[in-house]
Amino acid sequence: MSIESTNPATGDVVDSFEETSDEERDEHIVRATETFAEWSETPIEARQRLLARAAEVLRENADEYAELMAEEMGKPIGQARDEVEKCAWVCDYYAETAAEHLQDEVMASTERARTVVAYQPIGPVLAIMPWNFPFWQVFRFAAPNLAAGNVGLLKHASNVPGCARAIEDVFEQAGFPEGAFTSLLIGSSEIGAVIEDDRVRAVTITGSDGAGRSVAETAGSQLKKSVLELGGSDPFVVLEDAPMDETVETAVQARLINNGQSCIAAKRFVVVEDVYDEFVDRFVDEMAAQTVGDPMDDETDIGPQAREDLMEDLHEQVEETVEQGGELELGGEPMDRDGAFYPPTVLTDVPENAPADQEELFGPVATVFRVPDEDAAIEKANDTRFGLGASVWTEDLERGERVARQFESGLAFVNELVKSDPRVPFGGVKDSGYGRELSRHGIREFVNTKTIWVQQDAGEETDMVE
């Protein structure tokens, strides 16, 4: 059976690929298991050198990979080039820091013992990845895990099979052994069988909270470690002393990056009464000024939604919100042109429990809420089942940090949009999942944190025996 990738801007077929058969899937898992035995014993310095080479491969082929992303899921070409560079950055980061992050830790115990904590790889890890950042979200998993000595099995989204194959090829070109990173072109119905396979030791997913619950249930039944990076409905809090020029400019970027299809995009703009009217007026004007068009054009700010059905779902959420009493300030209708294009859209006066209040809107739709003061802003920011990122805008940095500490989120930014960075941990709370990616925290998610106690006086009695 073949899998086709379709250009969402034109409806044309980009390419077709043969689906991985059950027999091939088993062969890939066998190979990954065999490679792990070798790879886990490879000195970490050698693994780091190969990661550095992967960064070079990415940069050498940046235009090719960027065009592939634009064709398969509609990402504006400039943002796609930036994504390739970010993937190279995360490879560089772990090429430089992995050994430091995983070095043995000496722990205090008794005078006559040497006690250390060692961080050892655990085996093949399955990564279930989405289409919206088709390179970055794979590399932020792959770079730390390959550096740690694990091997990766990728189940990528079905609409970006070309990206999946290209990523596999990056590691092959960089010199990684066969089986260190393998793409499985399989359907969602086969994920459970891979997780349940005894040779697969852990699983990570970036996706919807529904998919995360299903994966976590299967992994939990097998007593396997899982990391869930799920959806978000991030608040963007504007206080009365916010630097308005910078705030509005960043608000537009934070809502529309990646055609609005980002889990950490600002989606709920919570604005205090004193500056609400000014913010809405300026925000609507700036949203309206964005260029919607061909993602292959460098002048385009917003390309198509990744699939027609996704655009239809988004529009249904907007329509239902308006029917319940929400006000449409801008946009709100699919564009009259070929392709899955939805315009920048702004909703205000959204009633409680409307879709734009309670659900994640995965597209270029912003919801603006009016609140009386800072306390109400914090309350509204936290009034969501999600808890991925949040930001607050104020001239008073001490105030901003105080507010940031009150957000129920895994990420909190003051006077900056929410973003992922290899140097700091990334992840959420509540229905946004659990576990962390990136930084020292991310590379230690899928390792055996092993206590090694070396008693130097065999005759000494221990204080306590469990």
Side-chain angles (χ1 to χ4, degrees):
M1 182 177 175
S2 63
I3 300 174
E4 288 186 344
S5 59
T6 303
N7 187 327
T10 65
D12 296 335
V13 173
V14 177
D15 206 343
S16 61
F17 304 81
E18 285 302 311
E19 188 172 348
T20 303
S21 68
D22 291 349
E23 182 180 355
E24 290 170 329
R25 186 185 75 201
D26 186 68
E27 290 172 355
H28 287 317
I29 296 175
V30 168
R31 169 59 68 185
T33 304
E34 293 172 348
T35 300
F36 170 69
E38 167 198 345
W39 183 245
S40 61
E41 296 298 323
T42 301
I44 193 168
E45 294 79 12
R47 302 197 296 256
Q48 289 176 287
R49 284 195 294 273
L50 289 179
L51 266 186
R53 175 57 189 145
E56 293 174 357
V57 172
L58 284 161
R59 293 186 173 105
E60 289 165 2
N61 299 282
D63 288 341
E64 174 188 340
Y65 299 145
E67 290 172 6
L68 180 58
M69 282 188 271
E71 288 177 341
E72 285 201 319
M73 54 72 58
K75 187 185 300 290
I77 191 68
Q79 294 180 31
R81 293 192 194 99
D82 291 342
E83 182 166 336
V84 177
E85 176 55 35
K86 193 167 187 177
C87 294
W89 180 23
V90 77
C91 289
D92 285 340
Y93 173 79
Y94 283 108
E96 296 168 1
T97 65
E100 176 187 349
H101 290 330
L102 296 173
Q103 67 183 350
D104 289 355
E105 272 187 85
V106 178
M107 308 294 285
S109 55
T110 68
E111 291 183 5
R112 296 176 179 270
R114 178 176 180 268
T115 311
V116 300
V117 174
Y119 300 96
Q120 299 180 325
I122 60 174
V125 180
L126 173 65
I128 304 162
M129 292 291 143
W131 46 262
N132 57 328
F133 289 90
F135 269 63
W136 167 243
Q137 283 163 321
V138 176
F139 272 90
R140 78 182 188 197
F141 153 76
N145 277 282
L146 290 172
N150 294 320
V151 296
L153 296 164
L154 170 65
K155 192 288 176 201
H156 216 327
S158 60
N159 59 328
V160 288
C163 291
R165 285 286 189 242
I167 292 167
E168 187 178 44
D169 187 59
V170 169
F171 292 114
E172 182 180 337
Q173 288 188 56
F176 283 76
E178 182 183 358
F181 190 88
T182 306
S183 176
L184 305 175
L185 296 185
I186 60 176
S188 298
S189 61
E190 299 174 69
I191 291 173
V194 179
I195 298 173
E196 291 171 353
D197 192 300
D198 289 341
R199 296 163 294 187
V200 176
R201 302 303 301 275
V203 59
T204 181
I205 178 173
T206 298
S208 69
D209 60 298
R213 291 174 196 277
S214 177
V215 166
E217 182 178 3
T218 304
S221 71
Q222 304 297 309
L223 297 180
K224 293 182 180 179
K225 177 71 180 289
S226 61
V227 167
L228 310 182
E229 299 289 359
L230 309 179
S233 189
D234 288 6
F236 185 107
V237 173
V238 182
L239 300 179
E240 71 279 355
D241 62 344
M244 197 56 69
D245 289 346
E246 179 185 355
T247 300
V248 171
E249 179 182 354
T250 308
V252 173
Q253 180 186 1
R255 175 58 280 198
L256 297 181
I257 191 169
N258 200 43
N259 306 333
Q261 302 164 126
S262 170
C263 55
I264 54 171
K267 300 185 177 80
R268 298 179 300 124
F269 295 82
V270 182
V271 186
V272 299
E273 176 75 41
D274 289 353
V275 292
Y276 177 86
D277 290 336
E278 178 186 2
F279 176 83
V280 169
D281 288 345
R282 295 178 62 172
F283 182 57
V284 169
D285 287 346
E286 287 298 318
M287 290 279 280
Q290 303 304 298
T291 300
V292 181
D294 181 357
M296 299 299 290
D297 187 339
D298 279 312
E299 300 302 313
T300 292
D301 299 308
I302 306 168
Q305 300 300 278
R307 298 196 314 260
E308 189 81 25
D309 63 305
L310 296 172
M311 183 188 72
E312 291 170 356
D313 290 344
L314 177 68
H315 183 51
E316 189 174 303
Q317 290 173 305
V318 171
E319 284 189 312
E320 189 174 337
T321 296
V322 173
E323 287 172 5
Q324 293 184 25
E327 290 293 327
L328 195 60
E329 304 287 345
L330 179 71
E333 289 288 342
M335 300 182 73
D336 186 17
R337 58 182 297 172
D338 291 337
F341 288 91
Y342 204 82
T345 297
V346 179
L347 295 164
T348 59
D349 296 330
V350 172
E352 288 187 12
N353 299 319
D357 180 53
Q358 293 295 314
E359 300 172 10
E360 179 179 23
L361 272 58
F362 213 63
V365 180
T367 306
V368 189
F369 297 91
R370 185 197 305 259
V371 293
D373 54 29
E374 176 189 304
D375 289 342
I378 296 168
E379 182 179 359
K380 185 60 184 178
N382 292 334
D383 183 25
T384 173
R385 62 189 179 89
F386 296 106
L388 187 51
S391 65
V392 58
W393 294 78
T394 173
E395 290 280 11
D396 185 339
L397 299 185
E398 290 185 4
R399 181 190 191 191
E401 183 172 342
R402 175 173 51 76
V403 171
R405 289 179 179 275
Q406 296 178 72
F407 289 142
E408 296 170 358
S409 62
L411 309 159
F413 286 70
V414 180
N415 295 350
E416 178 61 287
L417 55 76
V418 177
K419 57 187 176 181
S420 55
D421 183 309
R423 298 165 294 189
V424 296
F426 180 91
V429 296
K430 301 197 291 189
D431 281 6
S432 292
Y434 52 72
R436 293 296 180 266
E437 293 181 313
L438 303 175
S439 76
R440 175 176 61 86
H441 301 75
I443 200 172
R444 291 184 177 183
E445 282 286 3
F446 293 122
V447 295
N448 176 14
T449 303
K450 180 187 289 186
T451 296
I452 300 175
W453 181 299
V454 181
Q455 189 67 36
Q456 302 191 19
D457 182 351
E460 180 178 331
E461 295 183 3
T462 58
D463 296 330
M464 181 183 298
V465 177
E466 183 180 4

